Each structure stands twice: as C-alpha cells, then as structure tokens.
Amino acid sequence: MARSKKLVNSQLVAFIESAIPDFHAARLTSLRKLRLRDLVRNKNPYLFRAKNILVAGELVQGFLSAHLSSQEEGIFGGFLERLAMFVAGAVYGGRKSIAEGIDLEIVKDGTLYAVAIKSGPDWGNSSQVARMRDNFKKAARIIRTNAPAKLPIFVNGCCYGRTATENKGDYFKYSGQSFWSFISDDPELYRRIIEPIGHKAREHNEGFKAEYAKVLNQFTQQFVTDFCHPDGAIDWDKLLVFNSGRKLTRAAMLDRL
C-alpha cells in the first residue's frame, strides 16, 4: 500500500513561485485583448442606470472592473487547480484522470478517490451540479473497467470556502481547509499557500495598474465619442440599443461606430 509523503515547504514554495507569474501574465493578456464593444455588449446597462451613474469614466470603470473580476476568477481557478494537482501528486502520487469531468485520481489508505476540482463552493447551479453527478457515474464505469478491484469514491474539491454538509450521498464535497487537508494530509496547508502566492505580487500589479490606466483612459475617450450626447451626457438609449437591440439594429449601429 502506497504511503503518503510529507510535502516539503521548499517544494511548495518553488512550485507556486514558478506558476503564479502565469496568472499575472494571463490577466494582463486578457486586459490587452479587450475591446470596448465587447465590454459594453456583455454588461448589464439596467444595473448601472439604476445606480444613477452620470460620469462616463465611472461607468466605463464599472464595466471594466466587473469584467476583470469575472475573468480573473476563472484564470486564478486554473492556477489553483494546477496547485492542487501538484500537491496531490507530491503527497499521494495523484494523477490526472482519463475520465471526463474528473481532474484528479488519488489513492489513500487503499481507497481510490476521483476528484472534480472547483474554485469555490458556490461554483455552479443545479444543472451544473447534475452534470457533475452524471460525470461521476460515467467515470465510475470507466474506472471499474480499467481497475475492476477499485470502487471509486467521488469528491467535489473546492479550493476556498466552507461546506456545511460534506456527505452529499453519492459524493463528498470538501471546501477550503477540508479540501487542502484531504489532498495533502496537512490541516494547515490552506494557510501555508497564502504567503508564496503573494510572491512579487506588488511588482506584477504595478505593471498591470499601468496598463489598466491606459485601457481605462482609451475606453473612456471612445465611450464619450460613441455613447454620449454632444453635451457630454450619457446616451442611455443608444447604449441600450447597442447592448440589447435586435441584431439588425445593432449591426446598423456598429456601422456608425
């Protein structure tokens, strides 16, 4: 029976410090690729109108912040999944699963666990959770075909947050400290990873802030030209038509922008 190995702190720090620059590079690339048209088209104009925003720069910044927050959550989720895979590999010899929807397989105390990794506990709606359960059923058939002697236990592992009821009947849901402890046999790992994640964060963010300022200024200037009245007031009707009008209406507007 394979035994767990202790995760040496220097290994953990080295992996995080080598991988975290990819997160910063990806968020910078995402910012540079963004276009004002896409930003305006994908945000809720009714919400911002309800907040009585009158300044174009404030509205653009609101759109931009909402977009980046969503983008960064996804990008950082990818980093956390890589980190979890590294930890499980170092401690339990965990490996990537061949089954769809399963990120990780590990053996603990002779028991095979198949893990679907998510960022936080509130990652999906009922349909998405049902799809995960369906993936678990399909994976069980695949795993049993390849290893008939092993009956897998399924886990939804969430990298942060808490889960009140961990036993979901057909799978377990571990979040935050419980998840990191599950894949590492170290109840304090969730605290140990926070410091190296911040490695050179200030240097990375200074470059991002400079690029963000340029994009915000460019988008604000463009927004005033495209979506404001001649007197400078926001043209909410024009903005709404572009955001929510039928395809022909929006296409005609695109020709004018």
Side-chain angles (χ1 to χ4, degrees), residues 2-89:
R3 295 183 178 181
S4 63
K5 299 179 182 178
K6 184 176 178 60
L7 180 62
V8 179
N9 196 63
S10 59
Q11 291 178 287
L12 178 68
V13 171
F15 178 85
I16 292 176
E17 291 186 355
S18 68
I20 197 66
D22 293 342
F23 161 71
H24 292 288
R27 66 197 284 255
L28 189 58
T29 297
S30 176
L31 177 64
R32 287 170 173 165
K33 288 183 176 180
L34 187 60
R35 299 188 307 168
L36 178 64
R37 289 180 179 181
D38 298 327
L39 190 65
V40 172
R41 187 178 61 222
N42 294 318
K43 294 305 165 189
N44 185 350
Y46 298 108
L47 170 64
F48 289 91
R49 185 69 179 99
K51 294 165 71 173
N52 193 37
I53 294 177
L54 303 176
V55 179
E58 184 182 350
L59 180 59
V60 172
Q61 188 169 25
F63 284 167
L64 192 55
S65 295
H67 170 83
L68 291 176
S69 177
S70 176
Q71 287 282 306
E72 289 171 356
E73 184 75 21
I75 295 170
F76 197 72
F79 162 76
L80 288 176
E81 180 180 331
R82 288 174 59 197
L83 176 58
M85 295 285 290
F86 167 77
V87 169

Side-chain angles (χ1 to χ4, degrees), residues 10-211:
S10 59
Q11 291 178 287
L12 178 68
V13 171
F15 178 85
I16 292 176
E17 291 186 355
S18 68
I20 197 66
D22 293 342
F23 161 71
H24 292 288
R27 66 197 284 255
L28 189 58
T29 297
S30 176
L31 177 64
R32 287 170 173 165
K33 288 183 176 180
L34 187 60
R35 299 188 307 168
L36 178 64
R37 289 180 179 181
D38 298 327
L39 190 65
V40 172
R41 187 178 61 222
N42 294 318
K43 294 305 165 189
N44 185 350
Y46 298 108
L47 170 64
F48 289 91
R49 185 69 179 99
K51 294 165 71 173
N52 193 37
I53 294 177
L54 303 176
V55 179
E58 184 182 350
L59 180 59
V60 172
Q61 188 169 25
F63 284 167
L64 192 55
S65 295
H67 170 83
L68 291 176
S69 177
S70 176
Q71 287 282 306
E72 289 171 356
E73 184 75 21
I75 295 170
F76 197 72
F79 162 76
L80 288 176
E81 180 180 331
R82 288 174 59 197
L83 176 58
M85 295 285 290
F86 167 77
V87 169
V91 177
Y92 289 107
R95 64 180 186 274
K96 177 71 177 176
S97 176
I98 62 171
E100 180 182 356
I102 306 299
D103 299 301
L104 171 69
E105 291 181 17
I106 62 176
V107 177
K108 296 180 58 173
D109 301 322
T111 300
L112 173 64
Y113 293 87
V115 187
I117 303 173
K118 307 295 182 181
S119 290
D122 301 321
W123 58 267
N125 56 34
S126 58
S127 296
Q128 291 169 314
V129 173
R131 190 179 307 118
M132 180 185 70
R133 278 191 154 108
D134 188 53
N135 285 335
F136 286 164
K137 293 176 183 177
K138 293 176 181 177
R141 293 193 291 270
I142 294 173
I143 292 172
R144 286 169 182 168
T145 298
N146 295 329
K150 293 185 180 297
L151 298 177
I153 293 177
F154 292 98
V155 174
N156 174 202
C158 303
C159 297
Y160 66 85
R162 298 177 179 176
T163 300
T165 304
E166 294 184 336
N167 189 341
K168 301 297 183 180
D170 51 344
Y171 70 96
F172 290 88
K173 184 173 183 178
Y174 300 136
S175 299
Q177 182 180 15
S178 293
F179 171 62
W180 292 106
S181 178
F182 167 72
I183 61 173
S184 69
D185 197 30
D186 179 0
E188 295 302 312
L189 182 65
Y190 82 112
R191 299 172 67 182
R192 288 170 57 197
I193 62 178
I194 192 68
E195 185 62 30
I197 282 176
H199 179 67
K200 294 187 177 179
R202 178 177 296 178
E203 293 95 318
H204 288 297
N205 280 312
E206 286 303 316
F208 183 84
K209 286 179 182 178
E211 194 67 23

Side-chain angles (χ1 to χ4, degrees), residues 224-245:
V224 170
T225 300
D226 294 345
F227 296 107
C228 286
H229 293 291
D231 64 359
I234 296 172
D235 188 339
W236 287 99
D237 184 67
K238 189 175 182 181
L239 178 63
L240 187 61
V241 169
F242 177 78
N243 174 277
S244 303

